[in-house]
Structure formats: C-alpha cells, structure tokens
C-alpha cells in the first residue's frame, strides 16, 4: 500500500528542518515539497501550510488534515479555494507562547522603564535620571487574551502591571479587568496606557487599529503589534505617532511584508521595527504536535487545536 504523503505548502522554503522533525514524529508519512514535486495528488493526505499559493491545497482530493505552520491561519484562509471540508489545525505550542510573552514583556518594559531615552542619553554621555513610576500605575490593555495574550497578561500582572483584556466573549482571570465586544472597545481603550494587539486577523478585526479607535486611547499611549499587519491602518498609525496621540510603537508585523523600504515606519523616531519574529515556530516541538494529530486523525478523531472556520480562528 502507498504511504500517505505530507505536502509542505510553504512558499520559497524547502522545509529541511520540518522534514527531519516529521521523520521522527510521523515516520510512516512521506514528506514532499513543491521543489521536488508533490507526486500523485491523490496520495497527499496531509499538508503543512503557510501562505500557500491560491489553489495549491485544493489540488489534493484526499486531504485528511491541514496543519498551519503557525498560530495564525489568516494566510491559509485567504485562499478562496481553501478546501473547507478538511479539518485545519493551528499551532498551540508552549515554545511559541513563551516567545510571544518575551516579545510583549520586552517592549512593555522598554517603554515603561524609558530605556530608549537612556540609550540616547548614553550616546551623548548624559547622566540624566528619569522616573518610570510604579508598574501598577501603567495599564497594559491586551486585544485578544487567547492562548498568547493570556500568557503575556498573566506575566505582566505578576510583574505588577495593571492589566486589561478585550475579547469577543467575556473572560475572567484574577487580578485583571475584561471587556467584550465592539461596544466596550472605547472603554477598554480609554484606560489603556500600553496597547498590545494579539488578535487573529479576520473580517471582524481587519483595520481595527485606525483613527477612530486610536483616538480613544489616553494621549501618549504606546502601541505594540505582534499579531498581523492587517489589523492596522498604517496611515492612521503614522498620523497618531506624528501628532503625539501615540508616544511610540513596537511593530513586528506589517500590511506588506517585507516592510517596503519606502515605508516611513522604518525611519520614524518613535517606532521600533522587527521583521515578523515576535515568536517563531519551532519545527521540533510543532512536529510532535502534528505527529499526535495525524495519529488522532487516523483513528477517526479530530486533530489537536482545530480552527473554527466560521470564526476564522
Ligand atoms: P487565540 O488563542 O485564537 O486567541 C484569539 C483571541 O482574540 C481570543 O481571546 C478571541 O476572543 C479574541 N478575538 C478574536 N476575534 C475577536 C474580535 N472580533 N473581537 C474581540 N476579540 C476577538 O489566538 P493566539 O494563539 O493567541 O494567537 C493570536 C494571533 O497572534 C495569531 O492569530 C497570529 O496572527 C498572531 N501571532 C503572531 C506571531 C508573530 O510572530 N508576530 C506569532 C504567533 C502568533 P474569544 O476567545 O472571546 O473568541
Ligand atoms: C506567526 O505569525 C504565527 O501566526 O504563528
């Protein structure tokens, strides 16, 4: 009998580290990428995907499960031919969560502790103490306290920050304040000093950071976007930075990636740019999860962390 094929549907990437990790965690599966050719489409039972070219997944008639290479699935669901009857499993991995929490805490503390100012004073050999104030006076508002946002929220709370969360549904967690739905977004923003976006990108959240949301923040708030560039209207963001409505921003994701060299975000004095590295998928840990999901699917069960296609996350 032919062995099931796992198609690696990731543009411009042969996936050598994923091939090695999958050989360990699902040795009965044949790993193929587009460079060597996927072979007979009918033998492809599984796919690992990240921004696949439209139509690539739809060419496999016998897919049993699609695995997102990351936590977000917007780049997969953007394909209008995505085979919606096939289960889609996303990444929920302690390593990915830890990396994101590090990114969020790093930028919250760089801002709160005024580290950027001290960096510039050092370049001028200037001994100039500034006061940061207690963490409890700083409210970090996290849009999307799901798997990633909640871990960052808990660690920020444990460091003494005041923490709020905004979600589609009402959540609760000791020592945090929660808001739910568009109706409560202005109240959430009004008390947020550092805004963190960790939402999934869906029709409901596209361009949710725009002029008429940014205006609800207290003047001089700071913004961290580690979710997707599509959450932000970049012109409105630059206007808020120019006017001082925002004191600064740490941006890991952009409407167009790589960020075009012509973007003013590169050179804005109050913007930190990172190249979509807030948290990177680790093939070793994620291949173990995919291997477990494959075993479940082969027993007729659902994979780990299935995506709700109606919600889009
Ligand atoms: P998740 O567990 O699915 O959490 C998503 C959260 O967003 C949930 O709390 C959900 O609220 C909330 N939400 C969704 N739609 C909403 C809406 N319309 N209004 C208000 N709240 C809404 O996702 P995750 O694993 O934490 O990942 C979040 C995102 O991070 C990913 O989708 C990805 O885009 C991004 N990410 C980026 C990087 C990077 O390196 N930059 C790395 C990993 C992930 P409910 O629970 O109430 O539905
Ligand atoms: C990375 O952006 C992810 O969604 O995991």
């Amino acid at each position: 009998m032919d062995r099931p094929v796992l198609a690696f549907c990731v543009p411009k990437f042969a996936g050598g580290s994923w091939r090695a990790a999958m050989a360990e965690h699902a040795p009965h599966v044949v790993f193929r990428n587009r460079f060597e050719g996927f072979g007979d489409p009918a033998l492809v039972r599984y796919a690992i995907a990240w921004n696949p070219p439209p139509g690539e997944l739809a060419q496999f008639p016998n897919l049993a499960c699609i695995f997102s290479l990351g936590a977000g699935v917007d780049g997969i669901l953007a394909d209008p031919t995505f085979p919606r009857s096939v289960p889609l499993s996303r990444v929920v991995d302690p390593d990915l969560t830890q990396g994101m929490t590090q990114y969020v805490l790093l930028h919250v503390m760089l801002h709160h502790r005024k580290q950027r100012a001290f960096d510039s004073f050092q370049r001028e050999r200037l001994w100039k103490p500034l006061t940061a104030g207690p963490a409890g006076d700083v409210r970090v508002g996290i849009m999307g306290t799901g798997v990633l946002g909640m871990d960052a929220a808990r660690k920020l709370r444990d460091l003494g920050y005041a923490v709020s969360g905004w979600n589609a549904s009402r959540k609760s967690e000791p020592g945090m304040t929660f808001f739910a739905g568009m109706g409560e977004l202005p109240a959430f923003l009004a008390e947020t000093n550092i805004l963190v976006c960790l939402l999934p990108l869906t029709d409901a959240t596209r361009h949710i950071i725009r002029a008429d949301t940014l205006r609800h923040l207290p003047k001089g708030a700071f913004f961290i976007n580690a979710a997707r560039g599509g959450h932000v209207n970049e012109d409105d963001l630059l206007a808020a930075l120019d006017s001082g409505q925002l004191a600064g921003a740490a941006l890991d994701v952009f409407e167009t990636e790589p960020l075009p060299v012509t973007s003013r975000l590169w050179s804005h004095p109050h913007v930190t740019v990172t190249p979509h590295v807030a948290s990177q998928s680790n093939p070793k840990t994620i291949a173990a999860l995919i291997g477990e999901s494959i075993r479940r699917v082969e027993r007729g069960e659902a994979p780990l962390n299935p995506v709700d296609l109606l919600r889009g996350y």
Side-chain angles (χ1 to χ4, degrees):
M1 207 178 88
D2 288 313
R3 290 163 64 199
V5 171
L6 183 153
F8 190 72
C9 300
V10 184
K12 298 183 194 158
F13 181 35
S17 49
W18 291 86
R19 183 190 297 270
M22 287 312 306
E24 184 179 339
H25 293 288
H28 67 297
V29 165
V30 180
F31 184 103
R32 287 193 195 279
N33 62 34
R34 72 166 63 73
F35 305 104
E36 65 203 318
F38 295 126
D40 179 356
L43 294 181
V44 175
R45 295 285 288 157
Y46 307 104
I48 295 179
W50 186 252
N51 298 332
E56 186 158 85
L57 293 168
Q59 72 181 297
F60 307 125
N62 296 318
L63 274 176
C65 192
I66 298 166
F67 301 100
S68 170
L69 194 88
V73 294
D74 48 291
I76 297 174
L77 297 179
D79 176 357
T81 69
F82 174 81
R84 295 183 73 85
S85 57
V86 179
L88 172 62
S89 163
R90 74 185 194 97
V91 173
V92 175
D93 172 38
D95 275 13
L96 194 82
T97 303
Q98 189 179 72
M100 183 58 78
T101 295
Q102 289 167 359
Y103 184 90
V104 172
L105 267 62
L106 171 71
H107 290 285
V108 164
M109 287 192 275
L110 281 172
H111 175 67
H112 165 225
R113 298 296 302 259
K114 304 184 189 296
Q115 186 58 44
R116 299 299 193 199
F118 293 123
D119 290 345
S120 73
F121 298 162
Q122 183 178 349
R123 285 193 287 274
E124 296 169 51
R125 299 175 181 257
L126 200 59
W127 184 270
K128 190 173 169 186
L130 299 173
T131 303
D137 288 353
V138 178
R139 183 162 290 276
V140 184
I142 303 184
M143 301 175 89
T145 53
V147 172
L148 302 180
M150 188 61 95
D151 190 68
R154 290 187 180 122
K155 285 172 178 134
L156 288 162
R157 174 199 59 196
D158 295 348
L159 282 168
Y161 290 97
V163 178
S164 305
W166 179 75
N167 296 288
S169 61
R170 179 89 45 205
K171 297 194 197 285
S172 70
E173 175 77 13
M176 296 182 204
T177 309
F178 286 94
F179 298 80
M182 287 307 286
E184 294 182 14
L185 183 57
F188 162 80
L189 293 169
E191 59 178 38
T192 290
N193 306 113
I194 301 180
L195 180 66
V196 180
C197 182
L198 276 173
L199 292 165
L201 183 62
T202 65
D203 289 345
T205 64
R206 190 173 303 280
H207 279 195
I208 197 156
I209 304 296
R210 55 181 184 259
D212 73 330
T213 42
L214 290 167
R215 74 182 168 85
H216 291 291
L217 290 165
K219 194 167 176 68
F222 189 81
F223 175 54
I224 299 172
N225 189 13
R228 287 290 183 267
H231 288 120
V232 177
N233 178 318
E234 289 179 357
D235 289 338
D236 290 0
L237 177 68
L238 278 161
L241 288 160
D242 290 343
S243 71
Q245 173 60 12
L246 282 180
L251 307 173
D252 185 56
V253 285
F254 303 90
E255 290 240 63
T256 304
E257 295 180 6
L259 180 63
V261 286
T262 51
S263 171
R264 211 153 63 78
L265 291 168
W266 280 114
S267 54
H268 197 288
H270 301 130
V271 173
T272 295
V273 169
T274 51
H276 201 144
V277 292
S279 192
Q280 293 173 291
S281 291
N282 176 354
K284 290 191 180 140
T285 49
I286 295 170
L289 300 172
I290 294 176
E292 171 59 22
S293 282
I294 288 175
R295 285 189 289 281
R296 290 183 185 211
V297 169
E298 287 174 352
R299 290 197 300 265
E301 299 167 14
L304 296 170
N305 309 308
V307 171
D308 176 340
L309 294 184
L310 288 177
R311 293 191 319 179
Y313 63 97

